[in-house]
Amino acid sequence: MKLFGLDSQSSMIRFESADAYVVAGALVGEENLLVPGGVKARWLGLRLRFKVNEDSIINLENEADGYVLLKSNTLGRVFDGSYNEEAVRDEVRTEVEVKLTEAYRAINAKDSLLLIDGPIFPTPRVLTMVGNPYAGVYEDFIKRRVNAVNGIQAVGVVKRISQSTYYSRCKGFSVDDDTLIKNEAVKQFGDRRFFTAMAGPLEITINGHTKHAWYVASRIGKEINVIRVEALNADLAEKGAIRSAAYMGMDGVPIPISIADRLSRRLNASLTRLLASLSPLRLTYEGLEGLSRVMRESE
């Protein structure tokens, strides 16, 4: 079975009158595609610190030739100083990753599996907050992602699970999933320096949306790494976990995702540096720090 990897990398830099959210994405496999590049998507979000009228927003989006996002597709609100920062970042990231997933569908790669870095759809706490306007925003993100992966073989691979408690709650423990699965792996395999194990399955449901998951623990040397593999149906989740385990790298991440991560990270750093150098707006002190951090992380 052929494997594809999909990942995006985001950064935010502050200018004197706006915050810029840059998201670069990469799809790697039999064919390689990038955002920005071969796939058209709005990869730059601008959160303005001043009031603008609707006509100005429309004109600016038209002049930007479809790569700038200035308002929420769900709420219809302009991204201004009162708009939640993480919601802006997640909206741009959703745009980029959905467009890349649709590009994978268009490739029509037979007998292939798409590994997406991150959950198959998000489950933030805000979804359960009645009356919170951002609950509707994230509900829309879920729908867009589910529509994008329906009918194709795609799984989400969650790398950081130290705050996750899905598995531990099923087992009746109060620790996080990462700690529990590592402890179980050590009990089963002892001091063995090389092993790969799976734990599951389990269902995760929120607001009527259900996903299925398996955990994969791998040890190459001293460190034990744990990931969660998610899909919209149980069989695909198990298949994705098996394939992820077979292609696990030294860092405990499936190799196609590691490649996509490196590409998107370096592309994001280049875009961020280019934006900072070409923009007529001046960077704030926080913006300079953010730019330096992006450069360090891309090395």
Side-chain angles (χ1 to χ4, degrees):
M1 173 178 281
K2 301 170 186 174
L3 294 184
F4 283 72
L6 190 157
D7 194 12
S8 67
Q9 182 69 25
S10 66
S11 62
M12 188 272 282
I13 52 175
R14 298 190 190 277
F15 294 96
E16 287 185 339
S17 56
D19 298 329
Y21 299 80
V22 180
V23 180
L27 173 69
V28 300
E30 194 174 40
E31 293 188 34
N32 302 320
L33 295 169
L34 299 174
V35 171
V39 177
K40 189 170 183 178
R42 287 176 291 182
W43 53 269
L44 174 61
L46 290 180
R47 181 173 174 265
L48 307 173
R49 296 205 184 94
F50 52 87
K51 294 291 184 180
V52 293
N53 60 45
E54 194 71 18
D55 290 339
S56 298
I57 291 293
I58 293 172
N59 290 336
L60 184 54
E61 286 184 331
N62 290 338
E63 291 176 7
D65 193 28
Y67 69 85
V68 174
L69 193 61
L70 289 163
K71 65 179 182 178
S72 167
N73 289 319
T74 305
L75 298 180
R77 277 180 53 191
V78 173
F79 296 144
D80 58 21
S82 66
Y83 203 95
N84 182 271
E85 292 188 15
E86 282 305 307
V88 179
R89 187 193 299 266
D90 288 339
E91 185 134 9
V92 183
R93 182 187 289 117
T94 299
E95 166 86 3
V96 169
E97 293 185 355
V98 165
K99 293 296 184 183
L100 282 170
T101 304
E102 291 171 349
Y104 168 80
R105 183 191 297 273
I107 291 172
N108 194 25
K110 296 180 179 179
D111 190 32
S112 66
L113 177 68
L114 175 63
L115 306 180
I116 302 172
D117 186 23
I120 200 70
F121 60 75
T123 56
R125 201 169 296 173
V126 70
L127 285 167
T128 62
M129 297 179 183
V130 178
N132 190 312
Y134 296 104
V137 172
Y138 281 90
E139 179 71 26
D140 185 60
F141 294 166
I142 291 177
K143 291 177 181 177
R144 291 185 65 190
R145 289 179 179 273
V146 168
N147 288 338
V149 299
N150 258 331
I152 61 174
Q153 293 197 100
V155 299
V157 178
V158 183
K159 297 180 295 189
R160 299 173 185 87
I161 60 169
S162 60
Q163 301 300 315
S164 168
T165 57
Y166 298 119
Y167 182 75
S168 63
R169 287 203 304 267
C170 290
K171 292 287 189 176
F173 292 95
S174 58
V175 298
D176 62 89
D177 290 346
D178 188 66
T179 300
L180 178 58
I181 290 175
K182 286 178 179 178
N183 289 342
E184 289 185 348
V186 170
K187 288 180 182 178
Q188 182 175 353
F189 295 98
D191 294 330
R192 286 175 56 180
R193 293 302 186 185
F194 300 93
F195 67 75
T196 302
M198 290 172 50
L202 58 86
E203 286 187 5
I204 302 169
T205 300
I206 187 166
N207 290 14
H209 302 284
T210 299
K211 55 185 177 181
H212 303 262
W214 284 78
Y215 288 85
V216 178
S218 66
R219 185 175 198 169
I220 303 176
K222 295 182 179 180
E223 294 296 322
I224 300 175
N225 295 288
V226 184
I227 59 173
R228 186 173 66 244
V229 181
E230 305 177 350
L232 296 184
N233 69 69
D235 290 341
L236 185 54
E238 184 175 10
K239 180 190 291 187
I242 293 170
R243 301 305 291 177
S244 295
Y247 285 85
M248 200 69 73
M250 293 288 291
D251 57 354
V253 179
I255 291 171
I257 287 182
S258 293
I259 297 171
D261 174 79
R262 286 196 295 270
L263 282 175
S264 60
R265 190 178 298 273
R266 291 178 181 178
L267 179 57
N268 177 268
S270 298
L271 291 170
T272 304
R273 181 167 52 189
L274 183 64
L275 179 65
S277 62
L278 294 181
S279 174
L281 305 177
R282 292 174 56 185
L283 285 168
T284 64
Y285 179 75
E286 286 179 309
L288 289 170
E289 285 188 324
L291 181 61
S292 297
R293 183 169 55 254
V294 170
M295 295 301 104
R296 289 195 304 270
E297 292 176 352
S298 68
E299 294 175 355

